Amino acid sequence: MNKMLTPAKTPTLEEMNLIKKFLDDTTLFLGPDPEIMQNHDLMPRTDIEDAAIANVNDAHTIAKIRDRIQSGCDEGYEMVEQMGAAPGAKWGDVITGVYSASGDLAIASAGGVLIFSALVHHPIKFIIKNWMNEPTVGVNEGDGFIHNDSRYGNVHNTDQSMIIPIFHKGKLVCWVASTVHEGENGAIEPGGMPSMAESPSDEGLKMSPFKVVENYQIKRDILTFLQNSVREPKLQYEDMKVKLFACLRIKQRIEETLNSDGPEALMATLRLTMENVRAEVKRRISEWPDMTVRSYIIQDSTLRENCVVKINCKLTKTGDRLIFDFRGSSPEFTNRATNTIVAGLKGMLAQVFLCYVWPDLPRGQAAFAPIEVITDPHSIVNCSYDAPNSQSLMSIFTGFTAGQHAVAKFLYSCPEKFTKVHAPTFNMINTFIWGGVSQHGETLGNLCADLNGMGAGATANRDGEHALAPIFATMADIGEQELNEEEVPFLQLVSKKMTRDAIAPGKYRGGQGYTMMVATKDSEQWGFMTTAQGAKIPPLQGLFGGYACGTYPLSKVKNVDVYDVLMNEPERFRHSIEEIMNEQPFDDADYSTHHMGMGFEISKRGELFMISQGAGAGYGDLLERDPENVIRDIEEGLISPEVAARLYKVVFDADTLAIDFDATEAARAEERQARIARSVPYAEFVKGWNQPKPPAHLQYFGCWGDDVGTLYMGSPEVTRRGNQPRPNYMMHPKDVRIAELEARLVAAGAMGDEKK
């Protein structure tokens, strides 16, 4: 017989608390916290901060303390740069900062990798939420926490942070952190940025925030584990110490403030600095015109295969709201490493403003806090935690450029300008990552500093600077190759030589990049890899008629020992990629070109691997470039006479380079008429240009046209809705090649009785 069911009894508050305690005590796994990771705004003011601000709000006192803390952060930055063992530390790929008791970054070092300014607050907030009251962990004076897992808040796993809490009379008043691009982290490929990674398990150390320091001493058991997890145990230990002592130096400066002005003055300074910056950003945004700008950038590979990957951006300003909308960008690649978590994208967009738009603002989280970002879930710019992201630079750098391109159009439209309108800077890490056994018998893995020499974009009134600085850092360095050669078994036979015709033309041209030629010399266990895009399609766009840069392949010369050539026939060596690949001066050598996503490859003595750093984008119409500037570029070896005449329509004497101004004006007038003759009405152009779907012969990923709700996944027949995630797996390149060869065998009738 049926039994009557009694209504469920509503649990009491005590019972609910018991249930919550049980769930908290039996949590199986503390994964990345979406509540923390999706939020880049400031934490709400606490009662303690309110009371501090009520007692200390004098602008002069706040400015004095802020300057003192800023000096402390800069001092810590210099310590890491001078003492760090990692190549990234030596080049300035570093940041130090002071965070509020709630975990917000209030003040960061003026130099260094400012992308970290919008990222490292996430792991601190994870520590506050999960370890502060956890009896097996806790947060105490003398503690230090390490972290590198981007899913908990960082760029990628090569970056390691040291985080320490600062107490005053037993009460937590703030946090201090130092972050360095360490490089080697035990990943599937040496150097820390594996392009071969097909899952997070291939990406090496993944350190969620955990305690590694007690009583200001590094715990030897944890240290031993970390050293055994990477290829460079000495590097791991040394830079943990360097970051710790840099934090302790900043701590010393903070304690001086606490002793002279008191904890309320410190907390009020940190909070008001952030709130004032956030309010100032909203005020500045409100002066921009209300409008929408659309932009996109194309990635040309996943580093494993060539394909067309769209980064879609719509920037809208209304009142004091500025919204970056990246919906329509490519779906994440479930087994490729070029994805990024959304915090990484936000960090790079923060760099647009901190480096190029409002460089006068204090470095910190607040500069980007009021700016909104929208993405599709499980997209290449907001990937799931199960997708690899060790090559997130591929997506955050192109996302940066899409944002920079859109912001420039807003700045152009502002009646009163406080910064120059800037065409996009080159955005790829065109450099060599290396690893193996050195001439000293040590196992190493890291990268060259050449990625820090990205060509700057042109501005509204001048050419771009050559190989100026990376988009992700200020005051970074490109290193001394001679010092590097003391530690590694290869030479840069050509280094820092401007690459001729690697140009982004315009009324003002972009800054040039330089050539890099490397060859292993003193090791039989050494190799190289490259991780960049832009060998098929430029990774940026020009501005207002200016052009993008060219495309940059990887070139190799195998079956040669260039050291023998240099010893016996040095006149045969050429100092440019152009000459070596066109003249092919080494007999019986093999010459080849490739896209820039080379996986780790063992190299033989004397084999040449050659790449070029890229150029920034051009600004304005080529036909408006001053002819004298064109000739100056020829004289400086930046452009060949033939290319200059063809692009800029400048007429000059081939021997003396004397300009014929009348003939130049006539040639340019003729080209303008030719443009008109080639042109068609916009409506007619759209009819022939627009197609309903991507072409079937290209692997295309992302939205097509204005329909951002439909994302293509490599084929016109395979799509997903933007808000409905689906796996997006790529075939292994070896399997693709095997299938191609088998198809050829079948076509040739060489497969016997196998089914076709």
Side-chain angles (χ1 to χ4, degrees):
M1 68 184 285
N2 291 333
K3 186 176 181 180
M4 292 285 292
L5 296 176
T6 53
K9 176 185 174 184
T10 302
T12 65
L13 179 60
E14 181 181 1
E15 290 171 333
M16 290 295 293
N17 288 334
L18 286 172
I19 293 171
K20 184 179 183 305
K21 183 177 184 306
F22 171 78
L23 293 174
D24 290 342
D25 291 344
T26 57
T27 299
L28 178 63
F29 172 63
L30 286 173
D33 192 324
E35 183 181 354
I36 294 173
M37 294 306 301
Q38 294 292 326
N39 181 21
H40 64 280
D41 201 355
L42 305 179
M43 298 294 286
R45 254 200 213 183
T46 65
D47 293 339
I48 295 174
E49 289 172 327
D50 262 334
I53 291 170
N55 292 327
V56 183
N57 52 39
D58 174 66
H60 297 291
T61 301
I62 298 298
K64 177 194 72 174
I65 296 173
R66 182 174 62 242
D67 289 347
R68 183 185 293 173
I69 296 172
Q70 181 69 64
S71 296
C73 291
D74 293 342
E75 187 178 6
Y77 169 86
E78 293 288 344
M79 286 179 64
V80 177
E81 187 177 35
Q82 295 298 321
M83 298 191 303
K90 298 172 184 176
W91 313 327
D93 289 1
V94 176
I95 201 168
T96 59
V98 176
Y99 300 72
S100 70
S102 300
D104 293 324
L105 177 59
I107 300 172
S109 54
V113 183
L114 296 179
I115 180 176
F116 295 143
S117 65
L119 291 174
V120 184
H121 63 100
H122 295 302
I124 297 178
K125 291 170 182 175
F126 181 91
I127 294 168
I128 294 170
K129 181 174 181 178
N130 295 289
W131 301 151
M132 186 78 77
N133 299 312
E134 167 57 51
T136 64
V137 184
V139 176
N140 306 297
E141 189 165 355
D143 287 348
F145 295 82
I146 198 169
H147 160 259
N148 82 322
D149 190 340
S150 58
R151 300 173 301 172
Y152 292 81
N154 221 327
V155 181
H156 49 180
N157 293 349
T158 58
D159 304 317
Q160 295 188 22
S161 300
M162 180 66 72
I163 302 164
I164 67 172
I166 308 297
F167 289 83
H168 182 73
K169 295 182 179 180
K171 294 183 178 179
L172 179 69
V173 293
C174 65
W175 301 77
V176 172
S178 173
T179 302
V180 177
H181 178 106
E182 295 292 354
E184 174 53 38
N185 59 11
I188 191 173
E189 295 173 292
M193 295 189 289
S195 56
M196 296 288 188
E198 296 198 354
S199 78
S201 300
D202 294 332
E203 296 180 310
L205 270 176
K206 284 192 174 294
M207 297 185 287
S208 57
F210 64 85
K211 189 182 298 187
V212 72
V213 172
E214 289 182 349
N215 298 319
Y216 301 118
Q217 296 292 318
I218 295 173
K219 291 168 60 67
R220 198 65 193 230
D221 56 343
I222 302 295
L223 171 64
T224 301
F225 162 72
L226 296 177
Q227 289 181 292
N228 277 286
S229 301
V230 300
R231 295 175 177 86
E232 292 198 50
K234 291 195 299 184
L235 168 70
Q236 182 66 36
Y237 185 25
E238 181 174 349
D239 277 4
M240 285 174 65
K241 291 194 296 182
V242 169
K243 289 193 290 286
L244 172 61
F245 281 94
C247 288
L248 293 179
R249 177 57 61 89
I250 302 171
K251 172 179 176 288
Q252 179 183 338
R253 301 307 183 210
I254 291 172
E255 288 174 339
E256 292 169 358
T257 297
L258 291 169
N259 294 331
S260 62
D261 295 274
E264 286 189 330
L266 173 69
M267 289 188 283
T269 297
L270 298 180
R271 186 70 205 184
L272 288 176
T273 295
M274 294 187 293
E275 290 185 356
N276 291 343
V277 170
R278 181 170 61 179
E280 175 63 9
V281 169
K282 293 176 75 69
R283 185 195 69 78
R284 294 183 184 190
I285 290 172
S286 68
E287 295 186 353
W288 288 15
D290 285 357
M291 64 181 192
T292 293
V293 167
R294 291 174 174 83
S295 181
Y296 70 90
I297 298 294
I298 295 296
Q299 302 175 14
D300 64 5
S301 81
T302 67
L303 305 180
R304 304 291 300 280
E305 53 266 305
N306 295 319
C307 54
V308 180
V309 181
K310 187 176 187 180
I311 301 293
N312 197 56
C313 178
K314 181 176 76 171
L315 182 60
T316 300
K317 183 264 173 180
T318 305
D320 62 0
R321 294 182 66 197
L322 188 63
I323 305 167
F324 284 94
D325 187 346
F326 283 87
R327 288 176 296 186
S329 297
S330 166
E332 74 177 28
F333 291 92
T334 311
N335 63 338
R336 292 292 182 267
T338 51
N339 311 290
T340 184
I341 60 166
V342 72
L345 173 68
K346 293 175 181 177
M348 281 308 301
L349 294 174
Q351 294 251 167
V352 173
F353 297 96
L354 288 170
C355 289
Y356 296 92
V357 182
W358 301 317
D360 60 309
L361 291 177
R363 269 68 177 121
Q365 179 186 340
F368 195 71
I371 298 172
E372 303 169 47
V373 178
I374 304 172
T375 66
D376 292 317
H378 293 201
S379 72
I380 198 170
V381 293
N382 183 11
C383 70
S384 66
Y385 297 140
D386 295 324
N389 62 27
S390 52
Q391 281 297 335
S392 62
L393 302 184
M394 300 299 103
S395 296
I396 61 177
F397 285 2
T398 47
F400 167 94
T401 299
Q404 185 182 34
H405 192 261
V407 165
K409 296 180 180 180
F410 273 88
L411 295 178
Y412 182 84
S413 303
C414 291
E416 191 172 8
K417 297 176 177 61
F418 299 94
T419 188
K420 292 179 179 178
V421 180
H422 200 293
T425 291
F426 190 73
N427 58 12
M428 283 288 113
I429 52 169
N430 288 10
T431 191
F432 287 103
I433 302 172
W434 41 257
V437 179
S438 75
Q439 68 269 41
H440 307 298
E442 294 181 306
T443 301
L444 304 177
N446 227 294
L447 76 169
C448 299
D450 301 285
L451 76 164
N452 283 357
M454 297 174 177
T459 67
N461 65 346
R462 62 171 174 79
D463 293 339
E465 294 282 351
H466 302 316
L468 175 66
I471 57 175
F472 54 82
T474 58
M475 293 178 278
D477 193 4
I478 56 176
E480 294 293 337
Q481 183 57 32
E482 291 79 5
L483 296 178
N484 197 43
E485 288 165 3
E486 295 177 1
E487 301 176 358
V488 296
F490 71 91
L491 305 183
Q492 281 209 23
L493 297 171
V494 174
S495 177
K496 319 302 184 290
K497 173 184 171 64
M498 292 298 165
T499 306
R500 191 172 77 154
D501 290 335
I503 192 170
K507 178 180 180 179
Y508 298 103
R509 54 136 180 83
Q512 299 282 89
Y514 44 74
T515 295
M516 293 159 270
M517 296 186 192
V518 299
T520 299
K521 181 175 181 288
D522 298 314
S523 175
E524 295 182 352
Q525 301 180 66
W526 195 260
F528 301 101
M529 61 184 286
T530 56
T531 53
Q533 299 167 339
K536 302 286 185 181
I537 302 171
L540 46 77
Q541 294 186 31
L543 189 63
F544 301 143
Y547 277 67
C549 61
T551 54
Y552 304 93
L554 162 71
S555 300
K556 301 179 188 178
V557 183
K558 296 294 190 74
N559 292 327
V560 65
D561 186 339
V562 295
Y563 296 111
D564 286 346
V565 173
L566 289 168
M567 286 293 293
N568 300 311
E569 300 177 275
E571 69 279 0
R572 294 178 61 192
F573 189 80
R574 301 291 185 268
H575 291 80
S576 72
I577 301 173
E578 173 189 355
E579 291 172 300
I580 287 178
M581 297 305 293
N582 288 335
E583 298 177 18
Q584 300 190 0
F586 312 126
D587 297 336
D588 302 322
D590 297 327
Y591 300 81
S592 60
T593 58
H594 313 263
H595 69 78
M596 286 281 285
M598 179 180 75
F600 184 74
E601 181 177 315
I602 294 293
S603 67
K604 296 179 181 179
R605 172 186 161 94
E607 293 180 336
L608 277 177
F609 292 75
M610 304 179 292
I611 59 176
S612 175
Q613 184 57 273
Y619 184 107
D621 190 343
L622 282 70
L623 299 184
E624 295 180 7
R625 183 161 180 77
D626 188 331
E628 293 182 357
N629 289 338
V630 176
I631 298 303
R632 185 178 297 111
D633 286 346
I634 296 174
E635 292 174 332
E636 293 179 359
L638 302 177
I639 190 171
S640 61
E642 299 79 13
V643 173
R646 175 168 54 85
L647 289 179
Y648 292 110
K649 305 303 178 186
V650 174
V651 181
F652 53 88
D653 184 274
D655 296 322
T656 66
L657 299 183
I659 303 168
D660 186 332
F661 287 96
D662 291 338
T664 295
E665 188 58 38
R668 289 181 168 184
E670 182 181 352
E671 175 59 21
R672 290 187 177 98
Q673 291 301 314
R675 287 178 179 180
I676 294 172
R678 293 194 300 266
S679 65
V680 296
Y682 180 74
E684 183 180 337
F685 167 78
V686 168
K687 288 180 182 179
W689 180 259
N690 279 359
Q691 302 296 325
K693 291 183 178 182
H697 69 283
L698 285 179
Q699 286 196 89
Y700 180 89
F701 298 86
C703 71
W704 184 258
D706 296 329
D707 181 11
V708 298
T710 301
L711 304 183
Y712 289 87
M713 301 171 65
S715 164
E717 286 70 46
V718 182
T719 64
R720 66 164 251 206
R721 297 302 299 166
N723 59 357
Q724 297 175 356
R726 282 181 54 192
N728 182 29
Y729 284 94
M730 304 294 286
M731 286 182 65
H732 195 291
K734 288 184 179 179
D735 294 333
V736 173
R737 182 59 175 159
I738 289 170
E740 291 174 351
L741 294 175
E742 287 183 343
R744 290 171 61 183
L745 289 171
V746 169
M751 294 293 284
D753 296 330
E754 286 190 28
K755 293 181 179 179
K756 298 182 180 180

